[in-house]
Structures are given as C-alpha cells and as structure tokens.
Amino acid sequence: MTERDYQQELDDLHSGKTSHFDITPEEFQAFQPVFHGYQYRTQIEAEAHRGGTLTYRLKKR
C-alpha cells in the first residue's frame, strides 16, 4: 500500500486543484497530525459520513 502525501492533498485543496478528498477511519491517525500542523486548516471543513469516512473541502466564503 502506498503512503498518501496528506500535506500535498491539503495544498491541492487549498489551491483549488481539487475540490475535496476523503479520509478513512484507518487513515485518520496518520492524517490528524499533518492537518493540525497545516497553516490554513481554519479554512478547511470536514463532513462526517456513516462508517467514519470524512470528506475535507474548503469552507464556502
């Protein structure tokens, strides 16, 4: 299994290259420290889904 580059996914989301990305419950512990250290995290929101998957996207202005 390939390790995901969460920093790059957050950068792509912030720059508009992507509109969203999903984090599974299995990935959450690896993702969370990267997210908490991300400079623009206050501009990003997560939507929880049944089963524990989270969808991250930019907040609407």
Side-chain angles (χ1 to χ4, degrees):
M1 187 165 125
T2 306
E3 191 71 25
R4 287 175 66 178
D5 186 351
Y6 300 121
Q7 181 70 41
Q8 185 62 53
E9 290 191 46
L10 288 165
D11 288 340
D12 289 348
L13 182 63
H14 184 256
S15 70
K17 278 178 107 173
T18 61
S19 62
H20 70 279
F21 65 89
D22 294 330
I23 297 294
T24 65
E26 296 79 22
E27 297 169 316
F28 185 75
Q29 284 194 334
F31 170 74
Q32 199 61 17
V34 177
F35 181 68
H36 275 284
Y38 190 63
Q39 178 179 357
Y40 303 108
R41 75 179 178 276
T42 58
Q43 298 174 21
I44 297 171
E45 63 187 1
E47 179 184 356
H49 303 284
R50 186 169 284 167
T53 299
L54 297 166
T55 300
Y56 287 83
R57 59 178 47 97
L58 281 179
K59 290 181 180 177
K60 292 188 167 100
R61 299 175 194 220

